[in-house]
Amino acid sequence: TQLLEQSPQFLSIQEGENLTVYCNSSSVFSSLQWYRQEPGEGPVLLVTVVTGGEVKKLKRLTFQFGDARKDSSLHITAAQPGDTGLYLCAGVSGTYKYIFGTGTRLKVLA
Amino acid sequence: NAGVTQTPKFQVLKTGQSMTLQCAQDMNHEYMSWYRQDPGMGLRLIHYSVGAGITDQGEVPNGYNVSRSTTEDFPLRLLSAAPSQTSVYFCASSPRQVINTEAFFGQGTRLTVV
């Protein structure tokens, strides 16, 4: 069974602080995605990384795919209350399978 | 744009009852899947389908059945509900090529089995 472990599980920070969320696995994935989920809603895609070592930036969010394509990180600079939510990584395995991580619940306090 | 529509949004069942969670998508996506979300466990794949008439099991298929008679619909059936099936259920769809494409999720069904 392929597993994606995320850390930390919970994170509560003040507005303006920086943070990093990690997504780790012993398996190699074709690509890795990050989703954000708000209460009462389904997850929504933030980014897809495909190449080992790839770095993508989305405004204040920076995503990195590990060289071996087994792990990824999400860094948020100067967090804002609007960043509050559940962050999920998802490894794409084989042709059609998404393997989701355990999730990181972020709360940014104003 | 409707996207992925799940019904109902909330449901309470008694142990042993059966029910069907509905999922419909209007994006002509070939791939559809069902997940359950439990605290601290992310999303776990129950069943998935790569096209009409084709289904397969995910990580946690026991106690659930699916069918895919049309491209648009992918219902999930609970055969005999158990308290362990209390969870939030999400349906998702995506186009055929997965690597660079997005999974689109419904809003979820919160199921409580008492």
Side-chain angles (χ1 to χ4, degrees):
Chain A
T1 302
Q2 295 172 300
L3 293 174
L4 273 170
E5 295 286 340
Q6 286 184 238
S7 61
Q9 189 175 357
F10 299 98
L11 194 53
S12 181
I13 61 173
Q14 294 292 326
E15 183 177 4
E17 292 184 357
N18 300 332
L19 67 115
T20 302
V21 177
Y22 299 94
C23 174
N24 295 299
S25 175
S26 57
S27 302
V28 176
F29 292 101
S30 304
S31 63
L32 198 134
Q33 299 182 326
W34 285 90
Y35 290 79
R36 185 169 75 193
Q37 184 181 13
E38 299 191 12
E41 302 290 332
V44 175
L45 180 69
L46 294 173
V47 77
T48 301
V49 284
V50 178
T51 306
E54 182 177 1
V55 176
K56 276 192 175 178
K57 291 192 175 183
L58 186 66
K59 296 184 179 178
R60 294 176 293 101
L61 279 61
T62 302
F63 305 86
Q64 184 162 6
F65 200 11
D67 291 340
R69 306 208 319 274
K70 292 182 180 181
D71 54 84
S72 181
S73 64
L74 157 62
H75 181 80
I76 301 179
T77 303
Q80 298 177 1
D83 296 327
T84 293
L86 178 68
Y87 289 81
L88 294 160
C89 62
V92 181
S93 174
T95 308
Y96 295 105
K97 285 188 178 179
Y98 295 83
I99 309 297
F100 279 85
T102 48
T104 295
R105 192 166 296 280
L106 172 65
K107 186 168 187 178
V108 182
L109 305 170
Chain B
N1 294 336
V4 179
T5 302
Q6 288 184 237
T7 57
K9 289 192 175 181
F10 301 95
Q11 183 71 49
V12 179
L13 289 179
K14 292 183 179 179
T15 297
Q17 285 185 316
S18 62
M19 80 159 294
T20 299
L21 308 185
Q22 301 292 343
C23 175
Q25 54 94 5
D26 61 359
M27 298 173 281
N28 202 32
H29 287 168
E30 294 195 23
Y31 180 66
M32 296 186 73
S33 54
W34 277 101
Y35 295 87
R36 59 176 290 171
Q37 185 172 39
D38 302 294
M41 303 188 76
L43 292 166
R44 291 184 292 169
L45 182 64
I46 304 172
H47 286 285
Y48 65 98
S49 169
V50 300
I54 307 169
T55 63
D56 206 347
Q57 296 180 351
E59 298 174 69
V60 288
N62 292 340
Y64 307 95
N65 272 356
V66 292
S67 59
R68 184 96 180 268
S69 55
T70 67
T71 299
E72 294 78 19
D73 300 299
F74 191 44
L76 177 72
R77 283 184 289 278
L78 279 70
L79 309 173
S80 177
S84 61
Q85 293 179 304
T86 293
S87 187
V88 182
Y89 291 84
F90 286 97
C91 177
S93 74
S94 61
R96 184 173 182 84
Q97 291 183 333
V98 170
I99 290 179
N100 282 327
T101 58
E102 171 180 359
F104 293 84
F105 286 84
Q107 289 191 310
T109 296
R110 185 174 292 275
L111 175 68
T112 302
V113 182
V114 298

Short mmCIF file of all heavy atoms in Angstrom, two decimals, chain A residues 28-69:
data_model
loop_
_atom_site.label_atom_id
_atom_site.label_comp_id
_atom_site.label_asym_id
_atom_site.label_seq_id
_atom_site.Cartn_x
_atom_site.Cartn_y
_atom_site.Cartn_z
N VAL A 28 7.71 6.09 -5.41
CA VAL A 28 7.94 7.06 -6.47
C VAL A 28 6.62 7.34 -7.17
O VAL A 28 5.86 6.41 -7.47
CB VAL A 28 8.98 6.53 -7.49
CG1 VAL A 28 9.14 7.52 -8.65
CG2 VAL A 28 10.31 6.30 -6.79
N PHE A 29 6.36 8.61 -7.45
CA PHE A 29 5.13 8.98 -8.13
C PHE A 29 5.42 9.63 -9.48
O PHE A 29 6.45 10.27 -9.67
CB PHE A 29 4.31 9.95 -7.26
CG PHE A 29 3.77 9.30 -6.01
CD1 PHE A 29 4.38 9.49 -4.79
CD2 PHE A 29 2.65 8.48 -6.08
CE1 PHE A 29 3.89 8.89 -3.65
CE2 PHE A 29 2.16 7.87 -4.94
CZ PHE A 29 2.78 8.07 -3.72
N SER A 30 4.48 9.46 -10.40
CA SER A 30 4.60 10.10 -11.71
C SER A 30 4.54 11.61 -11.58
O SER A 30 5.22 12.34 -12.31
CB SER A 30 3.47 9.63 -12.62
OG SER A 30 3.46 8.22 -12.71
N SER A 31 3.69 12.08 -10.71
CA SER A 31 3.58 13.50 -10.44
C SER A 31 2.98 13.67 -9.06
O SER A 31 2.51 12.70 -8.46
CB SER A 31 2.71 14.21 -11.48
OG SER A 31 1.39 13.71 -11.44
N LEU A 32 3.01 14.89 -8.57
CA LEU A 32 2.45 15.14 -7.25
C LEU A 32 1.64 16.43 -7.31
O LEU A 32 2.07 17.40 -7.94
CB LEU A 32 3.56 15.23 -6.20
CG LEU A 32 3.04 15.07 -4.77
CD1 LEU A 32 3.92 14.12 -3.99
CD2 LEU A 32 2.90 16.39 -4.10
N GLN A 33 0.50 16.39 -6.66
CA GLN A 33 -0.38 17.54 -6.66
C GLN A 33 -0.62 18.01 -5.23
O GLN A 33 -0.53 17.23 -4.28
CB GLN A 33 -1.72 17.17 -7.32
CG GLN A 33 -1.57 16.73 -8.77
CD GLN A 33 -2.90 16.41 -9.42
OE1 GLN A 33 -3.81 15.91 -8.80
NE2 GLN A 33 -2.99 16.70 -10.72
N TRP A 34 -0.93 19.29 -5.10
CA TRP A 34 -1.35 19.86 -3.83
C TRP A 34 -2.75 20.44 -4.00
O TRP A 34 -3.02 21.15 -4.97
CB TRP A 34 -0.39 20.96 -3.38
CG TRP A 34 0.91 20.44 -2.83
CD1 TRP A 34 2.05 20.19 -3.52
CD2 TRP A 34 1.17 20.10 -1.46
NE1 TRP A 34 3.03 19.73 -2.67
CE2 TRP A 34 2.51 19.66 -1.40
CE3 TRP A 34 0.42 20.14 -0.28
CZ2 TRP A 34 3.13 19.25 -0.21
CZ3 TRP A 34 1.03 19.74 0.89
CH2 TRP A 34 2.36 19.30 0.93
N TYR A 35 -3.60 20.10 -3.03
CA TYR A 35 -4.97 20.59 -3.00
C TYR A 35 -5.20 21.35 -1.70
O TYR A 35 -4.58 21.07 -0.67
CB TYR A 35 -5.97 19.42 -3.06
CG TYR A 35 -6.02 18.70 -4.38
CD1 TYR A 35 -5.04 17.78 -4.73
CD2 TYR A 35 -7.08 18.93 -5.27
CE1 TYR A 35 -5.11 17.11 -5.95
CE2 TYR A 35 -7.15 18.27 -6.49
CZ TYR A 35 -6.15 17.36 -6.82
OH TYR A 35 -6.22 16.70 -8.02
N ARG A 36 -6.17 22.28 -1.74
CA ARG A 36 -6.63 22.92 -0.51
C ARG A 36 -8.13 22.68 -0.38
O ARG A 36 -8.88 22.78 -1.36
CB ARG A 36 -6.36 24.43 -0.51
CG ARG A 36 -6.73 25.07 0.83
CD ARG A 36 -6.22 26.48 0.91
NE ARG A 36 -7.04 27.38 0.09
CZ ARG A 36 -6.68 28.62 -0.21
NH1 ARG A 36 -5.52 29.09 0.18
NH2 ARG A 36 -7.47 29.37 -0.92
N GLN A 37 -8.53 22.39 0.84
CA GLN A 37 -9.93 22.09 1.11
C GLN A 37 -10.45 23.00 2.21
O GLN A 37 -9.82 23.12 3.27
CB GLN A 37 -10.09 20.62 1.53
CG GLN A 37 -11.52 20.19 1.74
CD GLN A 37 -11.61 18.73 2.16
OE1 GLN A 37 -10.62 18.11 2.54
NE2 GLN A 37 -12.79 18.16 2.09
N GLU A 38 -11.58 23.62 1.95
CA GLU A 38 -12.21 24.48 2.95
C GLU A 38 -13.42 23.74 3.53
O GLU A 38 -13.95 22.81 2.91
CB GLU A 38 -12.60 25.80 2.31
CG GLU A 38 -11.37 26.54 1.78
CD GLU A 38 -11.64 27.96 1.38
OE1 GLU A 38 -12.72 28.47 1.71
OE2 GLU A 38 -10.75 28.57 0.76
N PRO A 39 -13.84 24.11 4.73
CA PRO A 39 -14.94 23.39 5.39
C PRO A 39 -16.18 23.28 4.52
O PRO A 39 -16.61 24.26 3.91
CB PRO A 39 -15.21 24.25 6.64
CG PRO A 39 -13.92 24.93 6.92
CD PRO A 39 -13.31 25.21 5.57
N GLY A 40 -16.74 22.08 4.43
CA GLY A 40 -17.96 21.86 3.68
C GLY A 40 -17.77 21.79 2.18
O GLY A 40 -18.76 21.74 1.43
N GLU A 41 -16.53 21.80 1.73
CA GLU A 41 -16.26 21.76 0.30
C GLU A 41 -15.32 20.61 -0.03
O GLU A 41 -14.66 20.05 0.85
CB GLU A 41 -15.60 23.07 -0.15
CG GLU A 41 -16.42 24.32 0.13
CD GLU A 41 -17.65 24.41 -0.75
OE1 GLU A 41 -17.63 23.86 -1.87
OE2 GLU A 41 -18.66 25.01 -0.31
N GLY A 42 -15.24 20.28 -1.32
CA GLY A 42 -14.27 19.30 -1.76
C GLY A 42 -12.92 19.96 -1.99
O GLY A 42 -12.82 21.19 -2.09
N PRO A 43 -11.86 19.17 -2.06
CA PRO A 43 -10.53 19.73 -2.33
C PRO A 43 -10.47 20.40 -3.70
O PRO A 43 -11.15 19.98 -4.64
CB PRO A 43 -9.62 18.49 -2.30
CG PRO A 43 -10.38 17.47 -1.52
CD PRO A 43 -11.82 17.73 -1.84
N VAL A 44 -9.63 21.44 -3.79
CA VAL A 44 -9.44 22.17 -5.04
C VAL A 44 -7.95 22.19 -5.35
O VAL A 44 -7.14 22.49 -4.47
CB VAL A 44 -9.99 23.60 -4.96
CG1 VAL A 44 -9.68 24.37 -6.23
CG2 VAL A 44 -11.50 23.58 -4.70
N LEU A 45 -7.61 21.89 -6.59
CA LEU A 45 -6.21 21.80 -6.99
C LEU A 45 -5.50 23.15 -6.90
O LEU A 45 -6.01 24.17 -7.36
CB LEU A 45 -6.11 21.28 -8.43
CG LEU A 45 -4.68 21.13 -8.97
CD1 LEU A 45 -3.97 19.98 -8.26
CD2 LEU A 45 -4.70 20.89 -10.48
N LEU A 46 -4.29 23.12 -6.30
CA LEU A 46 -3.43 24.30 -6.28
C LEU A 46 -2.35 24.20 -7.36
O LEU A 46 -2.11 25.16 -8.10
CB LEU A 46 -2.74 24.44 -4.91
CG LEU A 46 -3.66 24.74 -3.72
CD1 LEU A 46 -2.86 24.68 -2.42
CD2 LEU A 46 -4.32 26.10 -3.88
N VAL A 47 -1.68 23.05 -7.42
CA VAL A 47 -0.56 22.91 -8.34
C VAL A 47 -0.26 21.45 -8.62
O VAL A 47 -0.61 20.57 -7.82
CB VAL A 47 0.70 23.59 -7.72
CG1 VAL A 47 1.32 22.69 -6.66
CG2 VAL A 47 1.73 23.94 -8.78
N THR A 48 0.37 21.18 -9.76
CA THR A 48 0.90 19.87 -10.10
C THR A 48 2.39 20.01 -10.39
O THR A 48 2.78 20.91 -11.14
CB THR A 48 0.21 19.30 -11.35
OG1 THR A 48 -1.19 19.19 -11.11
CG2 THR A 48 0.76 17.91 -11.68
N VAL A 49 3.20 19.17 -9.78
CA VAL A 49 4.63 19.13 -10.11
C VAL A 49 4.94 17.76 -10.71
O VAL A 49 4.42 16.74 -10.23
CB VAL A 49 5.52 19.42 -8.88
CG1 VAL A 49 5.50 20.91 -8.58
CG2 VAL A 49 5.08 18.64 -7.66
N VAL A 50 5.76 17.76 -11.73
CA VAL A 50 5.96 16.54 -12.52
C VAL A 50 7.42 16.07 -12.52
O VAL A 50 7.69 14.88 -12.43
CB VAL A 50 5.50 16.77 -13.98
CG1 VAL A 50 5.74 15.52 -14.81
CG2 VAL A 50 4.04 17.16 -14.03
N THR A 51 8.35 16.99 -12.58
CA THR A 51 9.76 16.65 -12.74
C THR A 51 10.47 16.66 -11.38
O THR A 51 10.27 17.59 -10.59
CB THR A 51 10.45 17.65 -13.67
OG1 THR A 51 9.71 17.71 -14.90
CG2 THR A 51 11.88 17.22 -13.97
N GLY A 52 11.31 15.66 -11.12
CA GLY A 52 12.09 15.65 -9.89
C GLY A 52 12.91 16.93 -9.75
O GLY A 52 13.56 17.35 -10.69
N GLY A 53 12.83 17.57 -8.58
CA GLY A 53 13.53 18.81 -8.34
C GLY A 53 12.78 20.05 -8.77
O GLY A 53 13.23 21.18 -8.52
N GLU A 54 11.61 19.86 -9.36
CA GLU A 54 10.84 21.00 -9.87
C GLU A 54 10.36 21.90 -8.75
O GLU A 54 9.96 21.42 -7.69
CB GLU A 54 9.64 20.49 -10.68
CG GLU A 54 8.78 21.58 -11.31
CD GLU A 54 7.66 21.01 -12.15
OE1 GLU A 54 7.52 19.77 -12.23
OE2 GLU A 54 6.90 21.82 -12.72
N VAL A 55 10.41 23.20 -9.00
CA VAL A 55 9.90 24.20 -8.06
C VAL A 55 8.87 25.04 -8.80
O VAL A 55 9.13 25.54 -9.90
CB VAL A 55 11.02 25.10 -7.51
CG1 VAL A 55 10.43 26.19 -6.60
CG2 VAL A 55 12.05 24.28 -6.75
N LYS A 56 7.70 25.19 -8.19
CA LYS A 56 6.67 26.05 -8.77
C LYS A 56 6.22 27.07 -7.74
O LYS A 56 6.09 26.73 -6.55
CB LYS A 56 5.46 25.23 -9.24
CG LYS A 56 5.62 24.62 -10.61
CD LYS A 56 4.31 24.08 -11.13
CE LYS A 56 4.46 23.57 -12.55
NZ LYS A 56 3.21 22.98 -13.07
N LYS A 57 5.97 28.28 -8.21
CA LYS A 57 5.51 29.34 -7.31
C LYS A 57 4.13 29.81 -7.74
O LYS A 57 3.84 29.99 -8.91
CB LYS A 57 6.49 30.51 -7.31
CG LYS A 57 7.82 30.18 -6.66
CD LYS A 57 8.66 31.41 -6.42
CE LYS A 57 9.93 31.04 -5.67
NZ LYS A 57 10.76 32.22 -5.34
N LEU A 58 3.28 29.98 -6.73
CA LEU A 58 1.93 30.47 -6.94
C LEU A 58 1.74 31.59 -5.92
O LEU A 58 1.37 31.35 -4.78
CB LEU A 58 0.92 29.34 -6.72
CG LEU A 58 -0.54 29.61 -7.04
CD1 LEU A 58 -0.73 29.85 -8.52
CD2 LEU A 58 -1.39 28.43 -6.57
N LYS A 59 2.05 32.81 -6.34
CA LYS A 59 2.00 33.98 -5.46
C LYS A 59 2.88 33.72 -4.23
O LYS A 59 4.08 33.60 -4.34
CB LYS A 59 0.57 34.31 -5.07
CG LYS A 59 -0.29 34.72 -6.26
CD LYS A 59 -1.70 35.12 -5.85
CE LYS A 59 -2.50 35.53 -7.08
NZ LYS A 59 -3.91 35.89 -6.75
N ARG A 60 2.32 33.60 -3.04
CA ARG A 60 3.12 33.42 -1.83
C ARG A 60 3.38 31.94 -1.51
O ARG A 60 4.00 31.62 -0.50
CB ARG A 60 2.39 34.07 -0.64
CG ARG A 60 2.28 35.59 -0.73
CD ARG A 60 1.45 36.14 0.44
NE ARG A 60 0.05 35.71 0.34
CZ ARG A 60 -0.46 34.74 1.04
NH1 ARG A 60 0.27 34.07 1.92
NH2 ARG A 60 -1.74 34.40 0.89
N LEU A 61 2.92 31.05 -2.36
CA LEU A 61 3.09 29.62 -2.14
C LEU A 61 4.19 29.09 -3.06
O LEU A 61 4.19 29.37 -4.26
CB LEU A 61 1.78 28.88 -2.43
CG LEU A 61 0.70 28.87 -1.35
CD1 LEU A 61 0.22 30.26 -0.98
CD2 LEU A 61 -0.46 27.97 -1.76
N THR A 62 5.11 28.32 -2.49
CA THR A 62 6.18 27.69 -3.26
C THR A 62 6.11 26.18 -3.05
O THR A 62 6.09 25.71 -1.91
CB THR A 62 7.57 28.21 -2.83
OG1 THR A 62 7.62 29.63 -2.99
CG2 THR A 62 8.67 27.56 -3.66
N PHE A 63 6.06 25.45 -4.15
CA PHE A 63 5.94 24.00 -4.12
C PHE A 63 7.22 23.40 -4.70
O PHE A 63 7.74 23.87 -5.70
CB PHE A 63 4.76 23.54 -4.97
CG PHE A 63 3.45 24.17 -4.58
CD1 PHE A 63 3.09 25.40 -5.09
CD2 PHE A 63 2.59 23.54 -3.69
CE1 PHE A 63 1.89 26.00 -4.74
CE2 PHE A 63 1.39 24.12 -3.34
CZ PHE A 63 1.04 25.35 -3.86
N GLN A 64 7.70 22.34 -4.06
CA GLN A 64 8.89 21.67 -4.55
C GLN A 64 8.66 20.17 -4.60
O GLN A 64 8.08 19.59 -3.67
CB GLN A 64 10.10 21.98 -3.67
CG GLN A 64 11.40 21.39 -4.20
CD GLN A 64 12.62 22.04 -3.58
OE1 GLN A 64 12.51 22.86 -2.67
NE2 GLN A 64 13.78 21.70 -4.10
N PHE A 65 9.10 19.54 -5.65
CA PHE A 65 9.04 18.08 -5.82
C PHE A 65 10.45 17.55 -5.58
O PHE A 65 11.41 18.08 -6.15
CB PHE A 65 8.58 17.75 -7.23
CG PHE A 65 8.02 16.37 -7.42
CD1 PHE A 65 7.72 15.54 -6.35
CD2 PHE A 65 7.76 15.90 -8.69
CE1 PHE A 65 7.18 14.29 -6.54
CE2 PHE A 65 7.21 14.63 -8.90
CZ PHE A 65 6.92 13.84 -7.82
N GLY A 66 10.59 16.55 -4.74
CA GLY A 66 11.89 15.99 -4.43
C GLY A 66 12.58 15.41 -5.65
O GLY A 66 11.93 14.97 -6.60
N ASP A 67 13.90 15.39 -5.62
CA ASP A 67 14.68 14.89 -6.75
C ASP A 67 14.29 13.46 -7.13
O ASP A 67 14.26 13.11 -8.31
CB ASP A 67 16.18 14.95 -6.43
CG ASP A 67 16.71 16.36 -6.35
OD1 ASP A 67 16.04 17.27 -6.91
OD2 ASP A 67 17.77 16.58 -5.74
N ALA A 68 14.01 12.65 -6.13
CA ALA A 68 13.67 11.25 -6.36
C ALA A 68 12.17 11.04 -6.61
O ALA A 68 11.73 9.90 -6.75
CB ALA A 68 14.11 10.40 -5.17
N ARG A 69 11.40 12.11 -6.63
CA ARG A 69 9.94 12.08 -6.86
C ARG A 69 9.21 11.24 -5.81
O ARG A 69 8.23 10.57 -6.08
CB ARG A 69 9.61 11.60 -8.27
CG ARG A 69 10.30 12.38 -9.36
CD ARG A 69 9.55 12.40 -10.68
NE ARG A 69 8.95 11.16 -11.04
CZ ARG A 69 9.57 10.18 -11.69
NH1 ARG A 69 10.83 10.29 -12.01
NH2 ARG A 69 8.90 9.07 -12.02
#
